[in-house]
Amino acid sequence: MDMGAHVLLLILLSSLLPGVAIFFLREEQFVLRTALNLGGALLKFLLIIGLLVGVYRDGKTYSLSVNLLPGIDLVLAADALSLLFATLSAVLWLVTTIYAIGYLEDSPNRSRFFGFFSLCVSATVGIAFSGNLITLLIFYEILTLATWPLVVHRGTPESFRAGRIYLAYTLIGGAVLLGAVVWLTLLAGSEPFVVGGYLQDLAADHGTALMVIFAMLMAGFGVKAALLPLHSWLPRAMVAPAPVSALLHAVAVVKAGAFGIVRVLNDVYGVELAADLGVALPLLLLAVLTIIYGSVRAVFADDLKQRLAFSTVSQVSYIILGAALAGPIGAVGGLVHLVHQGIMKITLFFCAGNFAETLGIHRVDEMRGVGRRMPWTMTAFTLAALGMIGIPPLAGFISKWYLGLGALEADMAWVTGVLVVSSLLNALYFLPPILRGWFSRREGPWPDERHGGRWLETHWMLLLPTVTVAAMALGMGLLASLAISPLYWVTFIVEFEYGYDHIWSAIFEWETP
Amino acid sequence: MTPDTWLLLIPLTPVLLLAALALPVVGRHLWRLTPLAVLPALAGALWLPEGAWAFYPWLLLGTELALDPVGRGFLLLTALLWGAAAVYAQGYLGAGPARVRFHAFFLLAMAGNLGLVVAADVAFFYTSFALMSLAAMGLVVHEQQFESWRAGWVYLGMALVGEVALFTGLILLVHDAGGHGMSRVWEQPPGTAAMILLLGGLGVKAGMVPLHLWLPLAHPAAPIPASAVLSGAMIKAGLLGWMRLLPPGSVPEALGTVLVVLGLVGAGYGVLAGVFQYRVKTVLAYSSISQMGLMTAGLGVAMMHPALAPALIPALVLYALHHGVAKAALFLGVGIARRVGRMAALAWLLLPGLALAGMPLTSGAVAKTLLKAPMYDAPVDLSLVTLGLSTAAAGTFLLMLRCWVLATGGLREPRPVPVSLWLPCLVLVLGTVVLPWALAPEDAFKALAVEPALALLWPMGLGVLIGGIALLLARFPGWTLPRLIPEGDLWVPLERGGRGVLGWVSRTPWFWRMPGGGFTLALIHGLPRLWAAWLDRVARGERLLLRWEILGMLFIGLVLAMLAAVYLGAVMAPS
């Protein structure tokens, strides 16, 4: 076991231990709880940055393997792809923790909330660092269980109902996933993830079985990724507090599903085998359907958080679309959207939370004239929403650009048509709140105005994270070619881990004037 | 400072000023500095060396900025107009916090417009173009009236459709070229799909018929300084985009023919629709459609005969410059005309109007002569095109006549004209005379010769004749100009038609009884019922599953079974 393996364990423990400790704190121990929360989040962030540098500079991957049962290993591994997801989780956990501290000020059961919050992030990072399907499955189930108390945190009948539906969907999805993993383990053993997959040899004898297993895996991960027939828990889970919605939607849950699909497609089956088996195209079609369906539903949603939820249904499928295009440029577009969508969506949820907490705004038509009362939040909302539409120079534009080019590269020009339709639908449901916010007049008082700060439009712990993530959404697009951008890292993954040549030069070094 | 930094400062300065607007305390006064934001662009247009080029590997997808002769002309126009409009806005907009908002969107749109002129890669071009289009929405709806919202929605809808068409066209170009630098893109002739998408996507901005519908709605609705830049500068982005992305020589001649036909139709139609209008700003909007049609036709000729392009492209740039300055002067003048007496109003609007119609000694004369000269010298017969251009000039004179009549008629509201209003207007009015002599003195001198002057004067004479008859007729009681064409022409029947069809379908029972109608009806009634029944069943299933003990037992049982299977499989697997 080398240095890096210890670091991996430490990263997992950096949120697990504070989480467990927080459970035992009394409600009024605010300072200690905040210190544990922020300390853990910062430590995790720094450790992951350390690993990131190691992987990038030395081209090393770290792994840690523990034998669980005969023939079944628990594998933790850090490759470039897992670090992408882990970094996203660590960064967003940090900002969401600050936001949640401000949001839940003076509300009951904070220790319980932050305890599960930390467990949830531990599970997400565990998913990121899973080195084989069994490990992934274990952390995936832990995530399901750890998020349930967060969804029902408010304790109202409505939230319990949403929680039950959430649990029903995810547990059944988890069961299907479990079945698929067991079946696959019986066929191929518990192999670690490897680029290009490890099932090629089985294709000749077990083709049909592999197809069925693929469908089961997609169904299992698709529940959390909110793929089309399995999405309906997501809009209902919107009764949760804003930081939870933000984290569920931007990182933890939906991304866990999307990440699982990308892993299976690239590192279990391999894109070539998936194409040979003929399972990549149905997945692509399903992603396309979900993109359009989610957008259409969002247009008709009047509740702001509902609208954002349906938008998530639509946008997460961009990631799956990119993976299912089965080409390097498409992979860049899909993977980079994993990060971009997370940043933009968390911005939108923070904004929705700010509107609700400060002025009591829950519905889109209540947003009239909010731009004058809360200009910073409204600017953040505008940036993130325009990014979702794919307007340059925001992060979403970079995703759309490479998804479009990836579709052309894969000889599927019709997919660019899907992107266009989705963009227009996005505009249809994101532009009205923006225009109302900036250009409509407010008549009468706000529904429920609570925070009337003299200098700031709302509590600084709500405003700072919002502005930070909005600035990131802008920076990731505007400075996409910098070495610290997600695009750079994703290109690194596709070039050196997936082994495609010339992607690096196609994206960054095309210019030789 | 090196050209490298300078080129970036051109689009960056407005953005920096915008960021400064957000500063506490001082920020709310900084809108007074808006006119200064064009200074780097103006200085760049005048003093940057030929062939200035810079590469910023960290910006966006790797950004190239450059200044070529075409770009220099457009940069001069853009900087001049945005600067003038910014000064004008200082005095034109009333007090209140909405003023800061106006300046914020104004600065954003300005940054976009300046950026797309110096962009030398398609990603940055698209970024600037989108920034300009979307930020201009803030200018169109600024007044927050019913009219401005209606105009704003039409504008935004068309701009977005144009945007996605442009996006798709661009990634097609980039995919074929394998890079997004413009020099790289030029190496490959664009494919048919890309060409159509770029033609339409940029055509929306350029007011190409039939994509011009937003123009006559947005111009009267927007505040005057916004109309001036919309019509003078932003509309030219479409033309510049065509020049950049569909360069003559690399596109098929058929595209040129299409552009010539659409351009001439637009030139004629703009006049026809414009003379029947009752608001000055609408007349000016239609005049812009007509003038853009002339430029489109000119570019089309260059595409049909690439040999003429070296002469036509500079002529088009000068034409764009001339039209932008004159049109912006007219818009700004309209704002002044309401506040002064009839004669003074006419005085403000006379010179730019005559320049647009092509009066000798003005910029219009030089631009039109330069544009037509290569067509006379062409190896093929282009007399149809030149005749079209001349006829359109007669029409332009009629439009200007209409503009003068409307601007000097009606009720006057005498008010003092502050310096921030008359100074920018005066600069632009003088520009219509001075610019050709400053930029192309030789050509300006040549345009004074008898032959071209005659070619310019006969359309004006025709215009005077028709206009004189119309004015005489108007003296008879009962003879008024019919309201033949409503503002926004085609949009009005489209809007009414859309509402009508929806209402008719919902009100007409026999529609549902036509062949297959019964089936449709059954489907419409039956599907929701089926769906509801299905939902019921799902809900019942959900309820069953939601009972804790059942769910828990099922899950634990499943986990145990699976683990057992894995264990057995692992033990028995032949390893």
Side-chain angles (χ1 to χ4, degrees), chain A residues 288-309:
Chain A
V288 164
L289 267 181
T290 312
I291 288 173
I292 302 292
Y293 176 83
S295 295
V296 170
R297 286 298 300 271
V299 172
F300 293 103
D302 287 329
D303 185 277
L304 186 58
K305 278 177 86 182
Q306 289 278 337
R307 190 171 282 198
L308 296 182

PDB file of all heavy atoms in Angstrom, chain A residues 288-309:
ATOM      1  N   VAL A 288     -31.925  11.027 -25.822  1.00  0.00           N
ATOM      2  CA  VAL A 288     -32.551  12.079 -26.636  1.00  0.00           C
ATOM      3  C   VAL A 288     -33.988  12.316 -26.197  1.00  0.00           C
ATOM      4  O   VAL A 288     -34.423  13.452 -25.990  1.00  0.00           O
ATOM      5  CB  VAL A 288     -32.491  11.679 -28.126  1.00  0.00           C
ATOM      6  CG1 VAL A 288     -33.449  12.516 -28.935  1.00  0.00           C
ATOM      7  CG2 VAL A 288     -31.084  11.817 -28.642  1.00  0.00           C
ATOM      8  N   LEU A 289     -34.724  11.209 -25.996  1.00  0.00           N
ATOM      9  CA  LEU A 289     -36.112  11.337 -25.551  1.00  0.00           C
ATOM     10  C   LEU A 289     -36.189  12.059 -24.217  1.00  0.00           C
ATOM     11  O   LEU A 289     -37.027  12.925 -24.006  1.00  0.00           O
ATOM     12  CB  LEU A 289     -36.728   9.937 -25.395  1.00  0.00           C
ATOM     13  CG  LEU A 289     -37.466   9.393 -26.591  1.00  0.00           C
ATOM     14  CD1 LEU A 289     -38.030   8.024 -26.271  1.00  0.00           C
ATOM     15  CD2 LEU A 289     -38.607  10.338 -26.953  1.00  0.00           C
ATOM     16  N   THR A 290     -35.280  11.680 -23.306  1.00  0.00           N
ATOM     17  CA  THR A 290     -35.302  12.302 -21.983  1.00  0.00           C
ATOM     18  C   THR A 290     -35.001  13.790 -22.078  1.00  0.00           C
ATOM     19  O   THR A 290     -35.621  14.609 -21.390  1.00  0.00           O
ATOM     20  CB  THR A 290     -34.276  11.613 -21.069  1.00  0.00           C
ATOM     21  OG1 THR A 290     -34.435  10.215 -21.188  1.00  0.00           O
ATOM     22  CG2 THR A 290     -34.466  12.025 -19.638  1.00  0.00           C
ATOM     23  N   ILE A 291     -34.048  14.133 -22.935  1.00  0.00           N
ATOM     24  CA  ILE A 291     -33.696  15.545 -23.111  1.00  0.00           C
ATOM     25  C   ILE A 291     -34.926  16.349 -23.528  1.00  0.00           C
ATOM     26  O   ILE A 291     -35.254  17.381 -22.936  1.00  0.00           O
ATOM     27  CB  ILE A 291     -32.571  15.690 -24.157  1.00  0.00           C
ATOM     28  CG1 ILE A 291     -31.254  15.184 -23.578  1.00  0.00           C
ATOM     29  CG2 ILE A 291     -32.439  17.135 -24.613  1.00  0.00           C
ATOM     30  CD1 ILE A 291     -30.136  15.135 -24.571  1.00  0.00           C
ATOM     31  N   ILE A 292     -35.625  15.851 -24.542  1.00  0.00           N
ATOM     32  CA  ILE A 292     -36.778  16.595 -25.050  1.00  0.00           C
ATOM     33  C   ILE A 292     -37.918  16.583 -24.033  1.00  0.00           C
ATOM     34  O   ILE A 292     -38.522  17.615 -23.722  1.00  0.00           O
ATOM     35  CB  ILE A 292     -37.248  15.989 -26.397  1.00  0.00           C
ATOM     36  CG1 ILE A 292     -36.112  16.016 -27.412  1.00  0.00           C
ATOM     37  CG2 ILE A 292     -38.468  16.723 -26.919  1.00  0.00           C
ATOM     38  CD1 ILE A 292     -35.702  17.362 -27.864  1.00  0.00           C
ATOM     39  N   TYR A 293     -38.182  15.389 -23.484  1.00  0.00           N
ATOM     40  CA  TYR A 293     -39.313  15.266 -22.556  1.00  0.00           C
ATOM     41  C   TYR A 293     -39.125  16.169 -21.336  1.00  0.00           C
ATOM     42  O   TYR A 293     -40.036  16.903 -20.947  1.00  0.00           O
ATOM     43  CB  TYR A 293     -39.462  13.808 -22.127  1.00  0.00           C
ATOM     44  CG  TYR A 293     -40.532  13.587 -21.090  1.00  0.00           C
ATOM     45  CD1 TYR A 293     -41.859  13.458 -21.469  1.00  0.00           C
ATOM     46  CD2 TYR A 293     -40.217  13.518 -19.737  1.00  0.00           C
ATOM     47  CE1 TYR A 293     -42.849  13.272 -20.526  1.00  0.00           C
ATOM     48  CE2 TYR A 293     -41.198  13.326 -18.782  1.00  0.00           C
ATOM     49  CZ  TYR A 293     -42.514  13.205 -19.186  1.00  0.00           C
ATOM     50  OH  TYR A 293     -43.487  13.030 -18.243  1.00  0.00           O
ATOM     51  N   GLY A 294     -37.936  16.139 -20.750  1.00  0.00           N
ATOM     52  CA  GLY A 294     -37.683  16.961 -19.561  1.00  0.00           C
ATOM     53  C   GLY A 294     -37.880  18.428 -19.863  1.00  0.00           C
ATOM     54  O   GLY A 294     -38.494  19.167 -19.083  1.00  0.00           O
ATOM     55  N   SER A 295     -37.394  18.860 -21.030  1.00  0.00           N
ATOM     56  CA  SER A 295     -37.533  20.267 -21.391  1.00  0.00           C
ATOM     57  C   SER A 295     -38.996  20.648 -21.564  1.00  0.00           C
ATOM     58  O   SER A 295     -39.425  21.707 -21.110  1.00  0.00           O
ATOM     59  CB  SER A 295     -36.775  20.567 -22.683  1.00  0.00           C
ATOM     60  OG  SER A 295     -35.406  20.390 -22.480  1.00  0.00           O
ATOM     61  N   VAL A 296     -39.759  19.769 -22.229  1.00  0.00           N
ATOM     62  CA  VAL A 296     -41.173  20.085 -22.458  1.00  0.00           C
ATOM     63  C   VAL A 296     -41.902  20.194 -21.127  1.00  0.00           C
ATOM     64  O   VAL A 296     -42.685  21.120 -20.894  1.00  0.00           O
ATOM     65  CB  VAL A 296     -41.817  19.009 -23.361  1.00  0.00           C
ATOM     66  CG1 VAL A 296     -43.324  19.190 -23.392  1.00  0.00           C
ATOM     67  CG2 VAL A 296     -41.245  19.104 -24.762  1.00  0.00           C
ATOM     68  N   ARG A 297     -41.612  19.251 -20.218  1.00  0.00           N
ATOM     69  CA  ARG A 297     -42.287  19.318 -18.920  1.00  0.00           C
ATOM     70  C   ARG A 297     -41.889  20.589 -18.170  1.00  0.00           C
ATOM     71  O   ARG A 297     -42.706  21.200 -17.488  1.00  0.00           O
ATOM     72  CB  ARG A 297     -41.929  18.093 -18.076  1.00  0.00           C
ATOM     73  CG  ARG A 297     -42.607  16.808 -18.518  1.00  0.00           C
ATOM     74  CD  ARG A 297     -44.119  16.887 -18.423  1.00  0.00           C
ATOM     75  NE  ARG A 297     -44.598  17.139 -17.064  1.00  0.00           N
ATOM     76  CZ  ARG A 297     -44.879  16.196 -16.175  1.00  0.00           C
ATOM     77  NH1 ARG A 297     -44.726  14.932 -16.498  1.00  0.00           N
ATOM     78  NH2 ARG A 297     -45.320  16.532 -14.972  1.00  0.00           N
ATOM     79  N   ALA A 298     -40.625  20.978 -18.296  1.00  0.00           N
ATOM     80  CA  ALA A 298     -40.159  22.171 -17.583  1.00  0.00           C
ATOM     81  C   ALA A 298     -40.902  23.411 -18.065  1.00  0.00           C
ATOM     82  O   ALA A 298     -41.187  24.313 -17.286  1.00  0.00           O
ATOM     83  CB  ALA A 298     -38.660  22.344 -17.775  1.00  0.00           C
ATOM     84  N   VAL A 299     -41.219  23.457 -19.370  1.00  0.00           N
ATOM     85  CA  VAL A 299     -41.925  24.617 -19.898  1.00  0.00           C
ATOM     86  C   VAL A 299     -43.252  24.812 -19.177  1.00  0.00           C
ATOM     87  O   VAL A 299     -43.675  25.931 -18.910  1.00  0.00           O
ATOM     88  CB  VAL A 299     -42.150  24.451 -21.419  1.00  0.00           C
ATOM     89  CG1 VAL A 299     -43.034  25.546 -21.954  1.00  0.00           C
ATOM     90  CG2 VAL A 299     -40.825  24.431 -22.149  1.00  0.00           C
ATOM     91  N   PHE A 300     -43.901  23.688 -18.813  1.00  0.00           N
ATOM     92  CA  PHE A 300     -45.229  23.789 -18.213  1.00  0.00           C
ATOM     93  C   PHE A 300     -45.205  23.822 -16.691  1.00  0.00           C
ATOM     94  O   PHE A 300     -46.249  23.817 -16.065  1.00  0.00           O
ATOM     95  CB  PHE A 300     -46.106  22.633 -18.711  1.00  0.00           C
ATOM     96  CG  PHE A 300     -46.405  22.732 -20.178  1.00  0.00           C
ATOM     97  CD1 PHE A 300     -45.747  21.940 -21.103  1.00  0.00           C
ATOM     98  CD2 PHE A 300     -47.331  23.662 -20.629  1.00  0.00           C
ATOM     99  CE1 PHE A 300     -46.013  22.058 -22.451  1.00  0.00           C
ATOM    100  CE2 PHE A 300     -47.599  23.777 -21.976  1.00  0.00           C
ATOM    101  CZ  PHE A 300     -46.942  22.980 -22.885  1.00  0.00           C
ATOM    102  N   ALA A 301     -44.025  23.805 -16.102  1.00  0.00           N
ATOM    103  CA  ALA A 301     -43.953  23.832 -14.639  1.00  0.00           C
ATOM    104  C   ALA A 301     -43.936  25.286 -14.166  1.00  0.00           C
ATOM    105  O   ALA A 301     -43.130  26.080 -14.640  1.00  0.00           O
ATOM    106  CB  ALA A 301     -42.710  23.098 -14.172  1.00  0.00           C
ATOM    107  N   ASP A 302     -44.820  25.620 -13.221  1.00  0.00           N
ATOM    108  CA  ASP A 302     -44.884  26.996 -12.742  1.00  0.00           C
ATOM    109  C   ASP A 302     -44.046  27.215 -11.497  1.00  0.00           C
ATOM    110  O   ASP A 302     -43.600  28.317 -11.223  1.00  0.00           O
ATOM    111  CB  ASP A 302     -46.335  27.387 -12.438  1.00  0.00           C
ATOM    112  CG  ASP A 302     -47.119  27.577 -13.707  1.00  0.00           C
ATOM    113  OD1 ASP A 302     -46.489  27.994 -14.700  1.00  0.00           O
ATOM    114  OD2 ASP A 302     -48.323  27.305 -13.721  1.00  0.00           O
ATOM    115  N   ASP A 303     -43.876  26.161 -10.722  1.00  0.00           N
ATOM    116  CA  ASP A 303     -43.065  26.274  -9.519  1.00  0.00           C
ATOM    117  C   ASP A 303     -41.593  26.329  -9.930  1.00  0.00           C
ATOM    118  O   ASP A 303     -41.141  25.534 -10.752  1.00  0.00           O
ATOM    119  CB  ASP A 303     -43.339  25.057  -8.639  1.00  0.00           C
ATOM    120  CG  ASP A 303     -42.631  25.168  -7.318  1.00  0.00           C
ATOM    121  OD1 ASP A 303     -41.440  24.824  -7.257  1.00  0.00           O
ATOM    122  OD2 ASP A 303     -43.266  25.601  -6.357  1.00  0.00           O
ATOM    123  N   LEU A 304     -40.861  27.272  -9.362  1.00  0.00           N
ATOM    124  CA  LEU A 304     -39.482  27.474  -9.819  1.00  0.00           C
ATOM    125  C   LEU A 304     -38.631  26.222  -9.620  1.00  0.00           C
ATOM    126  O   LEU A 304     -37.919  25.785 -10.519  1.00  0.00           O
ATOM    127  CB  LEU A 304     -38.884  28.666  -9.078  1.00  0.00           C
ATOM    128  CG  LEU A 304     -37.503  29.102  -9.529  1.00  0.00           C
ATOM    129  CD1 LEU A 304     -37.485  29.449 -10.995  1.00  0.00           C
ATOM    130  CD2 LEU A 304     -37.033  30.303  -8.723  1.00  0.00           C
ATOM    131  N   LYS A 305     -38.745  25.611  -8.434  1.00  0.00           N
ATOM    132  CA  LYS A 305     -37.924  24.424  -8.186  1.00  0.00           C
ATOM    133  C   LYS A 305     -38.351  23.247  -9.050  1.00  0.00           C
ATOM    134  O   LYS A 305     -37.524  22.451  -9.482  1.00  0.00           O
ATOM    135  CB  LYS A 305     -37.982  24.059  -6.702  1.00  0.00           C
ATOM    136  CG  LYS A 305     -37.008  24.900  -5.875  1.00  0.00           C
ATOM    137  CD  LYS A 305     -37.113  24.585  -4.406  1.00  0.00           C
ATOM    138  CE  LYS A 305     -36.234  23.404  -4.024  1.00  0.00           C
ATOM    139  NZ  LYS A 305     -36.385  23.060  -2.588  1.00  0.00           N
ATOM    140  N   GLN A 306     -39.662  23.147  -9.307  1.00  0.00           N
ATOM    141  CA  GLN A 306     -40.127  22.095 -10.220  1.00  0.00           C
ATOM    142  C   GLN A 306     -39.528  22.277 -11.598  1.00  0.00           C
ATOM    143  O   GLN A 306     -39.106  21.326 -12.249  1.00  0.00           O
ATOM    144  CB  GLN A 306     -41.657  22.165 -10.350  1.00  0.00           C
ATOM    145  CG  GLN A 306     -42.420  21.735  -9.126  1.00  0.00           C
ATOM    146  CD  GLN A 306     -42.543  20.237  -9.078  1.00  0.00           C
ATOM    147  OE1 GLN A 306     -42.452  19.582 -10.108  1.00  0.00           O
ATOM    148  NE2 GLN A 306     -42.711  19.697  -7.892  1.00  0.00           N
ATOM    149  N   ARG A 307     -39.515  23.519 -12.026  1.00  0.00           N
ATOM    150  CA  ARG A 307     -38.979  23.807 -13.348  1.00  0.00           C
ATOM    151  C   ARG A 307     -37.507  23.416 -13.408  1.00  0.00           C
ATOM    152  O   ARG A 307     -37.043  22.788 -14.366  1.00  0.00           O
ATOM    153  CB  ARG A 307     -39.157  25.293 -13.662  1.00  0.00           C
ATOM    154  CG  ARG A 307     -38.865  25.631 -15.083  1.00  0.00           C
ATOM    155  CD  ARG A 307     -39.260  27.047 -15.408  1.00  0.00           C
ATOM    156  NE  ARG A 307     -40.700  27.181 -15.613  1.00  0.00           N
ATOM    157  CZ  ARG A 307     -41.264  28.213 -16.245  1.00  0.00           C
ATOM    158  NH1 ARG A 307     -40.516  29.177 -16.722  1.00  0.00           N
ATOM    159  NH2 ARG A 307     -42.553  28.281 -16.383  1.00  0.00           N
ATOM    160  N   LEU A 308     -36.793  23.757 -12.355  1.00  0.00           N
ATOM    161  CA  LEU A 308     -35.378  23.391 -12.318  1.00  0.00           C
ATOM    162  C   LEU A 308     -35.211  21.877 -12.295  1.00  0.00           C
ATOM    163  O   LEU A 308     -34.286  21.327 -12.887  1.00  0.00           O
ATOM    164  CB  LEU A 308     -34.714  24.017 -11.087  1.00  0.00           C
ATOM    165  CG  LEU A 308     -34.669  25.541 -11.060  1.00  0.00           C
ATOM    166  CD1 LEU A 308     -33.945  26.025  -9.820  1.00  0.00           C
ATOM    167  CD2 LEU A 308     -33.986  26.083 -12.289  1.00  0.00           C
ATOM    168  N   ALA A 309     -36.136  21.193 -11.594  1.00  0.00           N
ATOM    169  CA  ALA A 309     -36.026  19.742 -11.508  1.00  0.00           C
ATOM    170  C   ALA A 309     -36.195  19.099 -12.882  1.00  0.00           C
ATOM    171  O   ALA A 309     -35.414  18.225 -13.275  1.00  0.00           O
ATOM    172  CB  ALA A 309     -37.084  19.207 -10.550  1.00  0.00           C
TER     173      ALA A 309
END
